[in-house]
Amino acid sequence: MTQFIDIAALAEIPRQGARVVKTTAGCVAVFRTADDQVFALDDRCPHKGGPLSEGIVHGTAVTCPLHAAVFDLTTGQGTDEWQVKTHNVRVEAGRVLLDAAFLARRSAA
Amino acid sequence: MKQRLVVIGAGMASGRMLEHLFEAGGNFDVTLFNGEPRGNYNRLMLSPVLSGEKTYAQIVTHDADWYAAHGVDCRFGEAVVRIDRANRVVYSNAGGVPYDALVIATGSAPFIIPVPGKDLPGVCTYRDLEDTNAMIAASRPGAKAVVIGGGLLGLEAAAGMAARGADVTVIHLMGHLMERQLDPAAGYLLQKDLEQRGIRVHCKGATKAILGKDRVEAVLLDDGTVYPADLVCMAVGIRPEVRLANDAHLEVGRGIAVDDQLRTSDPAIFALGECVEHDKQLFGLVAPLYDQARVLATTLLGEAAAFRPVQTATKLKVTGVDLFSAGDFADAPGREDIVFRDPGRGIYKRLILEGDRLIGAVMYGDTADGAWFFDLIKQGRDVTPMRETLIFGPSFQGGAQADPLAAVAALPHSAEICGCNGVCKGKIVEAISAGATTLDAVRSQTKASASCGTCTGLVEQVMALTLGDGFTANANPPMCKCTDHTHEDVRRLIKSMGLKSIPAVMQELGWKTVGGCASCRPALNYYLIADWPTEYRDDRQSRFVNERNHANIQKDGTYSVVPRMWGGVTTPAELRAIADAAERYHVPMVKVTGGQRIDLLGVQKQDLPAIWADLNAAGMVSGHAYAKGLRTVKTCVGTEFCRFGTQDSTGLGIRLEKFLWGSWTPAKVKLGVSGCPRNCAEATCKDIGIVCVDSGYQISVAGAAGMDVRETEALLTVATEDDVIEVVAAFTQLYRENARYLHRIYKWVAKVGLEWCRAQVEDPVTRRALYDRFMVSQAIYQVDPWAEHAATPKDWAPVADLTLRAAE
Ligand code: SRM
Ligand SMILES: Cc1cc2nc3c(=O)[nH]c(=O)nc-3n(C[C@H](O)[C@H](O)[C@H](O)COP(=O)(O)OP(=O)(O)OC[C@H]3O[C@@H](n4cnc5c(N)ncnc54)[C@H](O)[C@@H]3O)c2cc1C
Ligand code: SF4
Ligand code: FES
């Protein structure tokens, strides 16, 4: 089941940058690419927990700010087979909607 | 009995629909209303009319004879004001006309941005002949025109008026022109072409107001820029013209909702063209509208047909500008790019692949293959077999795989390799045979690749062919995987070619990726800041986290904040402010650094603006403690207190720090000033060290005490503090202008030689020029980023908090 929640205006996320959404399941980084694609990933690098939201965004990838692992925003796959969880996110009428189903699952568990 | 068909709007779509209807021998009594006082004409061709390449008469598609021959009752200049669905009658101000079937084809209306002054005489849009004539009338040579909107229509308006001699400025809200059809690289090329025609382009410009008393006089932007204007054309977008449909309570979304047969929610009423919405989609180009026209004519004739939207391609109708875009070129999961750039000819091509299919294409400069690519996109064909050479177009397909070395091998000796210096292949081979086995040697002997450098790859291929295994390409590696150029080449080319933006560098130097990577972007951002301080605007998103956030990120994602403590000297008031901030923001550790200042470690990101504001209020500025820039100037107590001191080392250190702070450098820069050769400030292991002696100041450079430990080497000895300031500023500027990104001073000096550096700063004229350039940059960059960002605390906090929601 999907459960899209309005989290922000697209304009609040800088191009080639990210903003953070706080959740009970940890922070989620919502990225915006140079061409206005939006992606959401857990804001924790599997290496040593670096905040991916602070990395440099290039194309549809982000480089971790701590030790420069590179992650594909579309799949969450990164250097050395690391994997970050991705979340559904979409833009409608200039608003960014995040699928918060993962929270429901968690609180149900 | 003949069916009574009423059509509202004589535009591109309805004109085509009527043609189909009459060609098929449809038996209709047609009444055609049009708001404009004329019949159907080719709206697309208004641009050639504006530029003077065509006349209105040449673009009329249906003349009086045609309407008469088909018995069309023309109500031109008569806008429909109401539809009475219950009685099936449409009304204009002249009365009602009954219908059996009604077609709404009202097109769209230009969007007007709601700024003060939008209604002043002299403000027009770009939709019909009236607008076109207004622009023609205003485009006297020398007249000033401002076009708001750098999309398709805006640029055609701008080019048309410029062709008539007007002085035209385009204001565009986004970062590059035509962002809906082009990516930044193609947008950059387009801007360059337009600028060469004398059209001024202002991107990232938000219009605040249109100024003028009785008519327009100027346009004011948010950033304070004012452009004088005799005419303002607003071309910022269109909206489906749905007012009649709304009033008649038809189903309307963004456009009039229609099904596959172009039928609205009322079975007797149809709609087509830009006023409709089909399957949530709107239309702004004619190709799909022509399909709609065919489907609607068939439907009205009582036969089966269904509208399926097709892919559209865009071309800009500005003579001499070649651009093409089709399909989808956004980055998305599983997509790959193939990029080709030929900077010499201003060509850029990008293909977007999804799996084994081509789904989008952007081309600039050479669009000859556009139709072929468009066809591949529409067919959805598997392009795997020709993937390697796809970008070279159809003429390349079917042959052997392109081997770049084989291509170079096949070149005759007379073939020109280096266009700038006119060096042919034969001359390079000759030089290599005579013993030039490195790129530098070939470069210095033949001049090949010594100017713009874009042929470096070719020269290396000639070397590889001639030397065989004896050749190891370029000992100095390229900047990153995005380019074949070295850092040094890129720096040189940025200056010699006058490249002033990241897209400009990527295009002109043939970047192989679309948007660079985390390694080249910060370097390019620095080079552009250093070389064009007054013209280039810093790109925050191309900075590493510490510089972007003006604090040092810690291993747990918190930050350390280090206020500047000039020359290591502080006051009780400053210490109190630091102590207060540490308590207020629960700073877990307060530490004295090895650089003579105090570090507040473990600050949460969202607290950064507040802690900055507090420290600012106590008079402290940012330490740039994290930056590739000036870090600290370490001092000792000098003549002020020390019995051995020879000069005021503390005072000089403070002066130097206040003078140099804020300047961005290739890597961090640390200074030390010691009051005597006992050297308590460890000046001789800093990037720049000053040791005071009785006769003056010994300036030495290129020390380090990090991963490498080395002593500084003497640069110059000078007599006064003012001399120290001038030499240090000049030397720093020399470093800023020449070193590669992330090289500390000692690494750079090892490459260029201390002798050369000394010669530059010793010569009074060169030294002064370096000093002056440093000051120009400081005038812009010596700002306190803390103060700037403290003003927008919201940007530093999470954008949303869902923790409460989950608890519900
Ligand atoms: C805070 C401080 C240590 C301390 O507690 O005293 C420090 C802390 C860091 N140093 Fe340092 N250095 C500090 C003085 C030094 C010194 C001594 C000095 O400046 O007198 C040196 C040797 C002198 C030199 O630079 O040549 C020094 C040589 C380095 C190096 C090696 C540089 C090199 O080129 O070899 C690095 C690594 C780098 O910059 O890439 C480094 C990098 C770092 C970083 C920024 C690592 C990082 O990227 O996160 C550390 C940040 C810690 C944190 O989480 O906040 N730090 N570091 C000192 C801050 C001084 C200040 O007020 O600005
Ligand atoms: C300058 C310019 C250049 C363009 N270049 C291109 C191009 O290169 N390629 C491309 O594909 N597209 C281009 N377009 C877009 C293209 O012209 C439109 O997509 C197309 O004209 C839309 O056709 P339409 O029949 O829906 O509307 P229109 O052609 O706009 O016709 C609608 C007509 O309805 C009339 N009307 C509106 N309301 C009423 C009413 N209440 N009563 C009576 N009449 C009414 C209007 O006066 C108008 O004449 C360009 C447009 C412009 C303005
Ligand atoms: S020496 Fe510097 S970089 Fe290394 S752990 Fe200490 S502070 Fe960090
Ligand atoms: S924490 Fe991300 S690379 Fe180390």
Side-chain angles (χ1 to χ4, degrees), chain B residues 701-761:
Chain B
V701 296
M707 289 173 281
D708 277 300
V709 180
R710 33 183 98 195
E711 195 180 336
T712 51
E713 293 177 74
L715 182 72
L716 286 176
T717 297
V718 298
T720 67
E721 277 197 4
D722 288 349
D723 291 341
V724 174
I725 300 276
E726 189 172 303
V727 169
V728 169
F731 180 78
T732 306
Q733 183 64 13
L734 194 65
Y735 170 55
R736 298 180 70 231
E737 289 177 3
N738 291 284
R740 62 181 275 186
Y741 192 59
L742 300 187
H743 267 189
R744 289 284 290 268
I745 283 181
Y746 74 92
K747 282 207 176 132
W748 165 68
V749 169
K751 284 187 66 188
V752 297
L754 187 65
E755 289 312 313
W756 178 77
C757 297
R758 186 182 296 121
Q760 308 303 304
V761 293

Side-chain angles (χ1 to χ4, degrees), chain B residues 26 76 131 329 350 371 444 514 773 782:
Chain B
F76 299 153
D131 295 328
F329 53 88
R350 176 174 163 217
S444 66
V514 179
R773 289 203 292 279
Q782 196 170 57

Side-chain angles (χ1 to χ4, degrees), chain A residues 66, chain B residues 546 551-555 558-563 589 591-602 623-626 628 631-632 634 667-671 681-682 685-687 703-709 742-744 746-747:
Chain A
L66 292 196
Chain B
N546 288 355
N552 196 101
I553 196 162
Q554 316 278 296
K555 64 176 189 177
T558 62
Y559 290 83
S560 63
V561 165
V562 199
M589 178 151 92
K591 182 179 181 303
V592 174
T593 72
Q596 295 189 337
R597 46 188 181 173
I598 293 177
D599 198 347
L600 301 164
L601 295 122
H624 292 79
Y626 34 76
K628 313 292 173 218
R631 295 284 178 89
T632 56
K634 192 166 177 172
K668 59 187 167 188
V669 172
K670 299 174 176 181
L671 273 70
E682 299 166 333
C685 63
K686 299 292 183 235
D687 297 281
M707 289 173 281
D708 277 300
V709 180
L742 300 187
H743 267 189
R744 289 284 290 268
Y746 74 92
K747 282 207 176 132

